[in-house]
Amino acid sequence: MSYLSNCWYMAAWADEVENGGLLARKLLDQPIVLFRDEQGELGALYDRCPHRFAPLSKGQVANGGLTCGYHGLAFDRNGTCAHNPHGPILRNLSVRQYPVVEAHRAIWIWMGDPALAEPGSIRDLSFLVSAPETAFSKGYLHGQGHYLLYVDNILDLTHVDYLHATTLGSGAFTRTRAQVSETDGHIRVRRDCLNEIPSPLMRSIRGITEADRVDYWNTVEWSAPAVMTLSGANVPAGEARDGPHNNMNTMNVHIMTPETSRTTHYFFASTRDFAVDDAAFNARFAETRNNIFSTEDEPMIQAQQQRMGDADFWDLQPQLLRIDEPSVRVRRKLAQMIKAEAEREQTCHQVEQSAGAPER
Amino acid sequence: MSYLSNCWYMAAWADEVENGGLLARKLLDQPIVLFRDEQGELGALYDRCPHRFAPLSKGQVANGGLTCGYHGLAFDRNGTCAHNPHGPILRNLSVRQYPVVEAHRAIWIWMGDPALAEPGSIRDLSFLVSAPETAFSKGYLHGQGHYLLYVDNILDLTHVDYLHATTLGSGAFTRTRAQVSETDGHIRVRRDCLNEIPSPLMRSIRGITEADRVDYWNTVEWSAPAVMTLSGANVPAGEARDGPHNNMNTMNVHIMTPETSRTTHYFFASTRDFAVDDAAFNARFAETRNNIFSTEDEPMIQAQQQRMGDADFWDLQPQLLRIDEPSVRVRRKLAQMIKAEAEREQTCHQVEQSAGAPER
Amino acid sequence: MSYLSNCWYMAAWADEVENGGLLARKLLDQPIVLFRDEQGELGALYDRCPHRFAPLSKGQVANGGLTCGYHGLAFDRNGTCAHNPHGPILRNLSVRQYPVVEAHRAIWIWMGDPALAEPGSIRDLSFLVSAPETAFSKGYLHGQGHYLLYVDNILDLTHVDYLHATTLGSGAFTRTRAQVSETDGHIRVRRDCLNEIPSPLMRSIRGITEADRVDYWNTVEWSAPAVMTLSGANVPAGEARDGPHNNMNTMNVHIMTPETSRTTHYFFASTRDFAVDDAAFNARFAETRNNIFSTEDEPMIQAQQQRMGDADFWDLQPQLLRIDEPSVRVRRKLAQMIKAEAEREQTCHQVEQSAGAPER
């Protein structure tokens, strides 16, 4: 399956690129250089000088653009050559630029047709910005698996009961059937786990035992290409969800961007509405999460990818279960969107040709 | 050359899989998980969950089978799904099982048609079991070469005179022509080295000098796919082989199992009839052997493989010498057996079809 | 682009192969073993025993040839089997030999038709030999890029102004147009930088400031396949080039030999006519050069290669500038020479056939 092009991919956390700095990152198999000028304005270019193919990321940010470190050609953020110390600026001395936007603590890039890039279509994740620093933490994982394996991981939280049995799992996700729905292209997976065994982590935070019972709610919401929110809430069993003991709401993001067909940039962040001023708790919370992702999820997904090799997911004939419903819907939706893109491109091409436009 | 299927391959030493434990190992390019239940009963499954392709080896042994560590599906040692926590057990929720048998301190696996698996056809290596612990040692080497290069190494012991000149070689193997014979599919290579120079190791153990002479006998016996015994005996020159000074008999195994077309699981073990209670001697003996294998044989075979690349042995037109006779016979025999297997499968297939059986 | 065959490639520095020693090195994708007998006489053979494909480089030098370390076959420097301890010497027991010559502190190898190998066609680099040891230094870099990227690097010294701005560059190379000429197949790139800013290194050695002005001259001369000299001279601005203050002449070589299509053996050396007895200066000079090559040039060229992947240089449509003139001329010249070789071989083949000679 190829990638969806005309959508915003998260390229980096905003603070990964400082003013006057740059970041080389491969996205959807393409080498990209992200950079900021001294005023903080962002740019994104194909990371290869058109002259002799040195990566522009091995150069410097200067005059609002990038200067190649090998022979000194400079390009502005539109990819136009702004300076050639060795002669005139020829028309072909340009490099592909990508629309890039900073929003919600992240840098978003548009890998498709720039004419279609609409910053307003970036998903609203403003809760990441409004959260106090002591109730916010984020991370990045360079995943060694196809990005949809990471998406599957979040869409099917029953894995928590097995892979994270000592921290997040109590069997509740397995016992509670997920409700899957779709609104405006967002696929939502909701679980209401009522009168359930608290997870080890919940017990530790609430100071309760395995014998106590809790009600908890959990909703994952996916939108294309792979931007997911995960909200969780819990109360002692039977209490009102909006009552005084619902003091354990978390709101998280899990965002995956393909690096290659077998590797993923996995960005995640958490906010919460309890212990919001507790920096030490915040740090422990982040450490626990990072530890779970890197020592439990990541090795499992790597191992899955190794067993799948370069085969297509469907060609391997997965024996799907009820719990795969969200994952299958997301994969189908993405496939439809990718197909629609290809058809649209085909149509544009035909229109151009019949209008006598030069072939691309 | 493809692999022989309908035969027993050594998969592991018996003690590599403890009760309640498992071992992931690739055999003949297939990922396999070996496991034992708490009672010690063995199982072997294709190491990939049919659901989402997680390796079963990343799960746990439970209830005589394996539970997948990602979503909790359980499989018994027949590969049948024994438990699906997420719904009914569908017919396709099964995984390939392999016949597996413990014998002679080793675990043997049948990679071909399970209906043909006959434990009685495992070669008798019971001397490995009857040897006292202080006269037994074993090892394993993850070889970076085609398994037949390791087989060649043992079938043609003249290499000892060059590669192991400081320990095992004295030129005697080169000077003594091997007698090659075949009985019941076993290919035997025998050398009677009479009135010969003792090897450095022989001198050290017997307390003799290079000027002394010894008679020694050496027999390698190969059976398919790559199970070899190597027996050695020596006496002061002219003495009776069954006389009182023949106190240096060793009996060894060299067993190779293909991991991939370029890597090998090489299992080896030694027993002897001298210094049988001497644990310190036993340890030194093992250390010397392991050292020779890993610092002399393995680098040479790796280097051979690198020079051969992915080419077929015969396509490279090896300039064969008299000393290659055993190796050529083994390669031809294996090629015949593999061809016979392919023809047999072809015939079965035709019979099934003419009988109106569904195509596989 | 394939390699030029009928020419001398530098295989090693002469002191990389000691008397009685050997060196395994891949050249033009072929594994080669270089060796010397006890008297220092050189040999070069294809590094693979024709018997079982062990590298001959894992054996020993003996009797003016090489003995295979696996089964003891010996080959002389003509590639003929000189000893087979296991039977008669059969006609096919031979290995390809390569003409090899020691000259100018280097070992040169002829990878094409041995009948055409003419030691007189090795480029005269005798200044490497006549330089005193305290005014000579050399190095080797195992480059991770196509050899022509290393050639480009020297042919276009404007890169110095950007990549080596803190040591060798002052902008002078960019400001001064190169004069490119060709004589007898040698392509010469000359720059006369008059009244120019001295480079940081020049300032440090001459004890002058950035405000001072110098005249300097720089000539690179390439000959096939990739043998380059680089001469430099400088004087205080306006003084005579042959006057008393021209005390900073250097004469250097940059020689590249393809290892594979993406890796290079890069040999370099420097001589000078100032501070010729100063061993400490000599060591600092070498260290600075080696440091620049390994921490500035090599990472840039590696990065170029990564961006180019396995694509052909021209297929990537480089946007060439005026500064690429020498590089383009060299690439065209090499392409012509390679084409001429292919045509010559074609013609020879036809002549042989029409003369009734056996097909090769």
Side-chain angles (χ1 to χ4, degrees), chain B residues 246-267:
Chain B
N246 178 10
N247 52 0
M248 276 190 60
N249 291 295
T250 65
M251 186 72 174
N252 314 275
V253 296
H254 297 266
I255 306 175
M256 292 82 175
T257 300
E259 180 183 53
T260 67
S261 64
R262 289 180 68 158
T263 55
T264 293
H265 301 291
Y266 179 7
F267 305 98

Side-chain angles (χ1 to χ4, degrees), chain B residues 72-88:
Chain B
L73 293 176
F75 300 88
D76 63 24
R77 73 166 51 81
N78 296 318
T80 308
C81 182
H83 181 58
N84 170 12
H86 312 292

Side-chain angles (χ1 to χ4, degrees), chain A residues 24 26 31-32 46-48 50-60 67-73 84-88 90 92-94, chain C residues 148-149 152-153 156 158-160 162-163 174 296-297 299-301 303-305 307-308 313 316-324 327-328 331:
Chain A
K26 186 175 277 187
I32 306 288
Y46 189 75
D47 189 17
R48 197 177 76 181
H51 170 224
R52 299 304 294 264
F53 315 126
L56 295 171
S57 58
K58 290 187 75 69
Q60 298 84 35
T67 302
C68 180
Y70 204 5
H71 301 100
L73 292 176
N84 171 12
H86 311 292
L90 304 169
N92 283 332
L93 270 180
S94 66
Chain C
L148 289 179
L149 297 181
D152 293 342
N153 181 264
D156 178 9
T158 68
H159 83 271
V160 158
Y162 310 95
L163 193 57
T174 296
E296 296 179 341
D297 292 297
M300 184 59 84
I301 293 171
Q304 260 188 306
Q305 180 66 61
R307 286 293 180 266
M308 296 176 66
F313 177 72
L316 289 170
Q317 298 185 279
Q319 299 304 317
L320 299 173
L321 310 178
R322 197 170 57 202
I323 53 175
D324 296 302
S327 166
V328 169
R331 284 173 182 266

Side-chain angles (χ1 to χ4, degrees), chain A residues 185-237:
Chain A
H186 289 215
I187 290 173
R188 184 178 297 108
V189 188
R190 173 176 166 172
R191 270 192 178 80
D192 297 351
C193 306
L194 303 180
N195 205 37
E196 265 295 352
I197 304 171
S199 71
L201 222 56
M202 227 180 260
R203 285 175 234 160
S204 146
I205 296 176
R206 283 205 175 269
I208 58 179
T209 72
E210 198 175 351
D212 291 311
R213 288 295 169 267
V214 286
D215 293 341
Y216 59 107
W217 300 273
N218 188 293
T219 300
V220 171
E221 189 170 328
W222 170 92
S223 61
V227 178
M228 287 181 284
T229 52
L230 191 169
S231 68
N234 66 75
V235 294

Side-chain angles (χ1 to χ4, degrees), chain C residues 166-199:
Chain C
T166 60
T167 48
L168 305 173
S170 73
F173 288 108
T174 296
R175 286 184 292 270
T176 312
R177 185 148 178 185
Q179 302 159 51
V180 187
S181 61
E182 180 172 344
T183 315
D184 297 338
H186 289 215
I187 291 174
R188 185 178 295 109
V189 188
R190 172 176 167 172
R191 269 193 179 81
D192 297 351
C193 307
L194 304 181
N195 203 37
E196 266 294 355
I197 303 172
S199 71

Side-chain angles (χ1 to χ4, degrees), chain A residues 61-92:
Chain A
V61 175
N63 305 315
L66 280 175
T67 302
C68 180
Y70 204 5
H71 301 100
L73 292 176
F75 300 88
D76 63 24
R77 74 165 52 78
N78 297 318
T80 309
C81 183
H83 181 58
N84 171 12
H86 311 292
I89 293 176
L90 304 169
R91 198 178 55 88
N92 283 332

Side-chain angles (χ1 to χ4, degrees), chain A residues 149 152-153 156 158-159 162-163 174 299-301 303-304 307-308 313 316-324 327 331, chain B residues 24 31-32 47-48 50-55 57-58 67-73 84-88 90 92-93:
Chain A
L149 297 180
D152 293 342
N153 180 265
D156 178 9
T158 67
H159 82 271
Y162 310 95
L163 193 56
T174 296
M300 185 59 84
I301 292 170
Q304 258 188 308
R307 285 292 181 267
M308 294 176 68
F313 177 71
L316 289 170
Q317 299 185 280
Q319 300 303 318
L320 299 172
L321 309 179
R322 197 169 58 202
I323 53 175
D324 296 301
S327 166
R331 284 173 182 265
Chain B
I32 306 288
D47 189 17
R48 197 177 78 179
H51 171 226
R52 298 304 292 265
F53 315 125
S57 57
K58 290 187 74 67
T67 301
C68 181
Y70 203 5
H71 301 99
L73 293 176
N84 170 12
H86 312 292
L90 304 169
N92 283 333
L93 271 180

